Amino acid sequence: DMLLLSTFGTRAALIRVDETLLGQRVSFADAGSADHAPLDGVLASDGFTVTATLFDASGADVSTLSLAGTTVQVIDKGVASFPDLVVKGTAGPGFFLRFAPSWRWRCDNRLIDSDCEGICCRAAPHFSVFPYDVRLVPSVINASFENAPLGNVSVELVDYSGVTLQGLGQAAGFEIKAFLLLRGEFLHEYLAGTALVAVRQGVATFTDLRVVGYASSGLTVRFEETQTRMAEALVPFKVFPYALAIDTPPPVNTTTQSNLSNFALSLRGSFNQLLGSVQTGDSYTITVS
């Protein structure tokens, strides 16, 4: 006899923490039959069960901490179904489920099926679990000057309840990418600093982002998890010019009540570059006194 594994239900595009996994059906079948039909003579009253166990990419059993739902099901008419298994509190690649019947110990004693090939055990294909959402701390930053640090921003990967997934290390492979935008338009060339940060203990912290060569109101920074494309953006903020330059100075000498000659001023960046990004709608004004 042997165990067969099949799935049922609708497959999600991504498996997220705290979301129900695709249903699993374990059949107790006759290995000698052509169609491997379930042995429907095995009924619930016989008391045979199947247990589901969750393993991470390293092969460690993480069921106690991270597998929720009904993990033990009775075999009825040769079948045990697992419709409500959920991975909780962790995420990353390489997870897999292993299903073993209540008589598995007999196989172990006889030194057969040690690698779970289907006689007394069956392992499902590996899958990845992704965070449920991302969260910014803080989500609002103060206005800044051109080429000045925007301040520290932490991006937290969280579960359904909003709890940070602190068990996520760099080995899980999650990264956060930062993008500068102005009213939906990407401004890649004007964002300086470390824009790609690996997640450690569920958090990626950006410490040196700054806007260079650009000043405007309505700017924002979008932080995106690179695998799922889940993202969150800062509340729009203003970046001020670095300096005000007098391009055409007034005459050195003039007489009372006479008009001054035309002279020009410009808004400049930290490298004395003209900040042509400043528009009338940004509401910058210059006062002469």
Side-chain angles (χ1 to χ4, degrees):
D1 298 327
M2 65 186 301
L3 292 180
L4 299 175
L5 185 62
S6 59
T7 59
F8 61 92
T10 302
R11 183 181 296 275
L14 295 173
I15 299 174
R16 285 188 168 90
V17 62
D18 295 329
E19 291 186 337
T20 303
L21 301 176
L22 188 65
Q24 303 287 327
R25 182 180 290 113
V26 182
S27 303
F28 181 43
D30 184 352
S33 66
D35 58 358
H36 292 163
L39 296 174
D40 54 11
V42 180
L43 303 177
S45 57
D46 296 322
F48 296 119
T49 61
V50 177
T51 299
T53 308
L54 179 68
F55 295 83
D56 66 12
S58 70
D61 183 347
V62 294
S63 303
T64 301
L65 295 176
S66 302
L67 185 62
T70 308
T71 59
V72 180
Q73 296 283 2
V74 174
I75 299 175
D76 188 26
K77 296 182 180 180
V79 175
S81 296
F82 295 80
D84 63 349
L85 296 178
V86 176
V87 177
K88 301 184 70 66
T90 189
F95 288 95
F96 65 96
L97 291 166
R98 180 177 292 171
F99 299 89
S102 50
W103 62 87
R104 173 65 196 267
W105 63 274
R106 296 174 62 89
C107 297
D108 291 336
N109 287 346
R110 296 179 183 179
L111 301 178
I112 62 173
D113 201 28
S114 60
D115 54 0
C116 213
E117 290 184 346
I119 301 174
C120 284
C121 182
R122 178 68 72 175
H126 290 59
F127 60 93
S128 296
V129 177
F130 296 97
Y132 194 85
D133 206 352
V134 298
R135 177 176 59 205
L136 297 184
V137 181
S139 60
V140 180
I141 63 172
N142 295 325
S144 180
F145 284 90
E146 186 269 346
N147 204 16
L150 297 178
N152 291 357
V153 177
S154 293
V155 183
E156 300 179 352
L157 302 185
V158 300
D159 65 12
Y160 179 79
S161 300
V163 177
T164 303
L165 297 171
Q166 295 183 354
L168 294 185
Q170 192 168 1
F174 292 108
E175 295 179 313
I176 307 296
K177 176 74 172 177
F179 301 92
L180 179 68
L181 297 95
L182 175 64
R183 292 182 280 277
E185 179 184 355
F186 287 96
L187 303 173
H188 301 294
E189 65 270 32
Y190 299 109
L191 184 64
T194 306
L196 181 65
V197 177
V199 174
R200 293 181 174 85
Q201 296 181 318
V203 180
T205 300
F206 293 79
T207 60
D208 61 352
L209 294 178
R210 60 193 189 279
V211 178
V212 177
Y214 206 93
S216 181
S217 58
L219 289 166
T220 188
V221 178
R222 171 187 170 97
F223 298 90
E224 183 177 286
E225 198 280 307
T226 57
Q227 297 185 55
T228 63
R229 308 299 294 273
M230 292 186 299
E232 190 68 45
L234 293 169
V235 172
F237 55 90
K238 179 176 286 190
V239 171
F240 293 101
Y242 181 84
L244 175 66
I246 300 176
D247 300 319
T248 306
V252 176
N253 299 310
T254 187
T255 60
T256 303
Q257 301 296 326
S258 64
N259 293 328
L260 296 175
S261 304
N262 292 334
F263 61 97
L265 297 94
S266 61
L267 300 178
R268 299 279 172 168
S270 54
F271 299 102
N272 200 36
Q273 72 273 43
L274 179 67
L275 295 179
S277 57
V278 178
Q279 303 295 322
T280 303
D282 293 321
S283 301
Y284 294 112
T285 59
I286 297 174
T287 301
V288 178
S289 59

